[in-house]
Amino acid sequence: MSKTVKKQPPKTHRKGERDLRFTTISDMPIEALYGPGDPPDFNPDRNLGQPGQYPFTRGIHENMYRGRVWTMRQFAGFGTASDTNNRYKYLLEHGTTGLSVAFDLPTLMGVDSDHPLALGEVGKEGVAIDTLADMETLFVGIPLEQISTSMTINAPASVIFAMYLAVAEKQGASLSSLRGTLQNDIFKEFIAQKEWIYPPRPHLRLITDLMGFCCDQVPQWNTISISGYHIREAGSTAVQELAFTLADGIGYVQAGIHAGLDMEVFAPRLSFFFNAHSDFFEEIAKLRAARRIWARIMRERFGAKDPRAWKLRMHVQTAGCSLTAQQPVNNVARVTVQALAAVLGGTQSLHTNSMDETLCLPTEHAVRVALRTQQIIAEETGVTNTVDPLGGSYFIESLTDRVEEGAMAYIRQIDEMGGIINAIEANYPQKEIADASFHYQQQIDAKEKVMIGINRHTGGDDTRPEVLTIGPEAEEDQLQRLRETRRNRDQAALDRALANLKAAARGEDNTMPHILDAVRAYGTVGEISDALKEIFGSYQETSVF
Amino acid sequence: MNPERKIRLLVGKVGLDGHDRGAKVIARALRDGGFEVIYTGLHQTPEMVVQTAIQEDVDALCLSILSGAHMTLFPRVIELLRAQQAGDIKILGGGIIPDDDIPRLKEAGVLEIFTPGATLTSIVQFVRDNVPPRHLEETHVQGD
């Protein structure tokens, strides 16, 4: 399908212009000037509304950052639970206002640190968590009642969440007081991030079980963070990121309704996670369009009555894929512009990437600069003084409409295919993204799109910053801990819990209470996932390129 | 064996790393560049990738690793290839690989490492210049 309506480029340069075509980073053509009459049929009441009111184009709060600035939430995790616990305490000391846990690949894939596929990966890209014992260490000295925690975990999300709840119980916290977010977005795993355990449908069952459990017992928890971030990192355009993310959201709402849950209760706990790439205005337009489309989907399409179900709340992270290993200090400038776009787009929470992330996990110094970047935007620049400062701009409103039109065309296409699961099984989003990513790489090679330090301005200082390395000790320590935990636990209690879990998975009972029992008995992420795999099977992708 | 046959390449992802944007872009560029390209898909063990490389009789194995596990996985793949008398399959690598690790990987037997910023054309050209068809020298003599 056509991604955007592309106007024919002029055959010659317009007088005085340096290029034939002016386009966004996603290749959307941009006019020389926007003015009265742009966008056509502009109706502020219908298209914008008031901030804090339907359709929330101008933001989900009436006073936005005059009330409270966004949550500065830096994603962190590496090595063992104890290493990461130290980093959290460092971040909290320096003014971070929410925790965000990065897990290592074995944990993300639901395998234990001693699994053959985990070789060389333990603690490398995030923290290694095998059992409740690791989770207890991760949050030593951090009262879970007083902090909100985001956990980037998808395929084994129920198991990791159960561990978090079990730690909270041990700290004496009430589950109803806990605040935080699970990513728990399996659709984007199949589309872009590629960390799954079971086929899509059983994964969706686990998600609706978790949603139902939270409705009853952990009502302040955001059960899914529906993520465009990874879709964009996999090479999509801005419009594709928006479209596939919202189509995923529609899929979760449909699944919740199908599972018999009350939409008015579960829908307000769905949140979103977008990328902030380098095309400043396109990103602002994307975030504004996201709120407007979601509000309309929830109110008009699903008929939600509670305005909280109409509000798209978002976390944003600056674009890792835009950063360069060449001249890495330049990344600070990129991150600043991207973070500013996220703020002008009205985000609720923000992660700014560190300058060294193309080389390694961030060092403390790099992470501090990234956090300071947010603090400078919040406290020095004055952009927080007024709500949606760009609202009503001829250009921004035109671009917001264009992004919306492009995304809606995709959403209609996916509806016609019978919904997002069918689309995923047909490799549709995967193929669209692979095409966009190849097209962009060709444009970079042809220097039609510029990356400073890669295809232009490549000379000069290229000194490498200090690099954080995770030594093999982390893997050895983790294997040792895992062996000890297995030796010291009550195996009979675990076996009972796993048998009950399998019975629930075979039938229709909610799996969450049984996962919690298995976790309390110090079952590992791998053991619990394998038990469910016996019932649910596993998944092998047909790769398209 | 026909010396004019197309060079066969296996593009592979080893380990749990799901970052396949680069691998897919490279696979497509190599295919467009006139090579025969097979892609392993995700989540392969070193044993699986080596098995595929041998079965498919490829001339080079191009591994993409963005997980930080490259210092473990490259040497393991090379060791397995050599153990199966397939040490002449060329190994190319790409991904997030710090400069300091590159000499050590080359010493271990990796022919070349491409890091972010390498152009598609430079990679295609490198393969054209440095990956000859296998077997010609050692197994096939006259009359071929």
Side-chain angles (χ1 to χ4, degrees), chain A residues 121 194 233 326 435 445 544, chain B residues 20-21 24 28 116 120:
Chain A
E121 311 262 22
K194 314 296 173 84
E233 291 288 302
Q326 293 76 0
D435 287 347
D445 276 17
V544 283
Chain B
D20 60 359
R21 174 179 181 169
K24 285 169 149 184
R28 188 152 158 184
L120 297 177

Side-chain angles (χ1 to χ4, degrees), chain B residues 39-138:
Chain B
Y39 171 48
T40 60
L42 291 166
H43 310 146
Q44 306 284 305
T45 60
E47 288 80 4
M48 289 155 81
V49 167
V50 165
Q51 205 49 40
T52 310
I54 291 170
Q55 275 171 5
E56 295 286 347
D57 199 18
V58 300
D59 302 298
L61 172 51
C62 315
L63 292 178
S64 158
I65 302 178
L66 289 85
S67 68
H70 50 274
M71 294 310 287
T72 311
L73 294 174
F74 278 110
R76 177 78 185 134
V77 165
I78 291 168
E79 179 193 344
L80 288 167
L81 282 173
R82 287 180 183 160
Q84 302 207 44
Q85 283 73 51
D88 59 325
I89 295 181
K90 301 279 189 283
I91 304 288
L92 305 178
I96 305 288
I97 293 168
D99 284 355
D100 292 348
D101 291 343
I102 294 176
R104 287 197 282 158
L105 289 172
K106 287 191 174 172
E107 239 165 72
V110 178
L111 181 62
E112 190 57 278
I113 295 281
F114 296 96
T115 53
T119 63
L120 297 177
T121 40
S122 72
I123 294 169
V124 169
Q125 194 56 48
F126 183 89
V127 174
R128 221 168 258 152
D129 295 344
N130 295 282
V131 179
R134 278 175 80 217
H135 302 317
L136 287 180
E137 312 84 2
E138 63 268 47

Side-chain angles (χ1 to χ4, degrees), chain A residues 172-445:
Chain A
S174 75
L175 297 189
S176 62
S177 70
L178 297 179
R179 290 175 303 115
T181 304
L182 276 181
Q183 197 162 81
N184 199 24
D185 171 11
I186 205 68
F187 290 147
K188 70 90 177 51
E189 295 297 331
F190 290 106
I191 294 172
Q193 170 103 332
K194 314 296 173 84
E195 288 152 5
W196 52 68
I197 302 173
Y198 325 108
R201 290 166 207 271
H203 262 305
L204 195 56
R205 146 85 187 277
L206 289 175
I207 290 170
T208 52
D209 280 359
L210 189 145
M211 283 161 66
F213 181 86
C214 285
C215 287
D216 295 338
Q217 301 204 37
V218 204
Q220 298 192 71
W221 199 270
N222 297 313
T223 52
I224 314 178
S225 171
I226 306 163
S227 305
Y229 187 81
H230 319 79
I231 291 173
R232 191 66 180 278
E233 291 288 302
S236 81
T237 64
V239 163
Q240 289 170 345
E241 175 194 352
L242 181 58
F244 298 146
T245 307
L246 296 178
D248 290 347
I250 292 169
Y252 292 121
V253 173
Q254 290 168 330
I257 294 169
H258 186 72
L261 304 176
D262 182 352
M263 179 178 60
E264 304 291 342
V265 180
F266 77 74
R269 300 320 313 175
L270 300 175
S271 63
F272 286 81
F273 173 23
F274 291 107
N275 195 299
H277 212 293
S278 295
D279 196 298
F280 188 66
F281 293 113
E282 184 173 57
E283 294 303 279
I284 296 168
K286 178 185 78 186
L287 300 181
R288 297 173 88 248
R291 280 190 294 272
R292 184 158 77 205
I293 301 174
W294 188 246
R296 287 183 177 151
I297 288 170
M298 290 311 297
R299 195 173 84 166
E300 321 294 327
R301 176 168 176 170
F302 288 110
K305 299 280 180 288
D306 186 340
R308 288 177 309 164
W310 307 337
K311 285 184 196 176
L312 183 151
R313 294 170 301 131
M314 66 174 80
H315 171 70
V316 173
Q317 178 172 340
T318 59
C321 62
S322 72
L323 304 185
T324 60
Q326 293 76 0
Q327 306 175 33
V329 180
N330 294 349
N331 292 329
V332 176
R334 295 190 177 96
V335 168
T336 305
V337 172
Q338 296 164 358
L340 187 58
V343 168
L344 294 175
T347 192
Q348 277 60 64
S349 162
L350 181 60
H351 168 104
T352 34
N353 287 330
S354 300
M355 64 181 116
D356 55 359
E357 287 188 37
T358 50
L359 306 167
C360 59
L361 292 187
T363 59
E364 282 192 358
H365 168 248
V367 119
R368 191 168 63 242
V369 173
L371 177 59
R372 293 286 182 261
T373 303
Q374 295 199 40
Q375 290 162 337
I376 289 166
I377 292 172
E379 298 174 42
E380 289 186 6
T381 65
V383 297
T384 55
N385 287 339
T386 192
V387 176
D388 186 29
L390 296 177
S393 145
Y394 303 127
F395 176 46
I396 279 290
E397 297 304 348
S398 300
L399 204 51
T400 304
D401 283 9
R402 289 259 300 284
V403 171
E404 178 177 5
E405 284 161 24
M408 286 310 299
Y410 269 118
I411 290 172
R412 279 191 293 273
Q413 171 78 18
I414 291 167
D415 283 341
E416 280 166 23
M417 299 176 83
I420 192 66
I421 295 191
N422 288 1
I424 288 169
E425 287 172 347
N427 266 320
Y428 173 67
Q430 296 92 314
K431 186 79 175 75
E432 289 289 305
I433 295 166
D435 287 347
S437 128
F438 189 67
H439 179 60
Y440 179 69
Q441 189 60 45
Q442 286 180 311
Q443 289 182 311
I444 291 285
D445 276 17

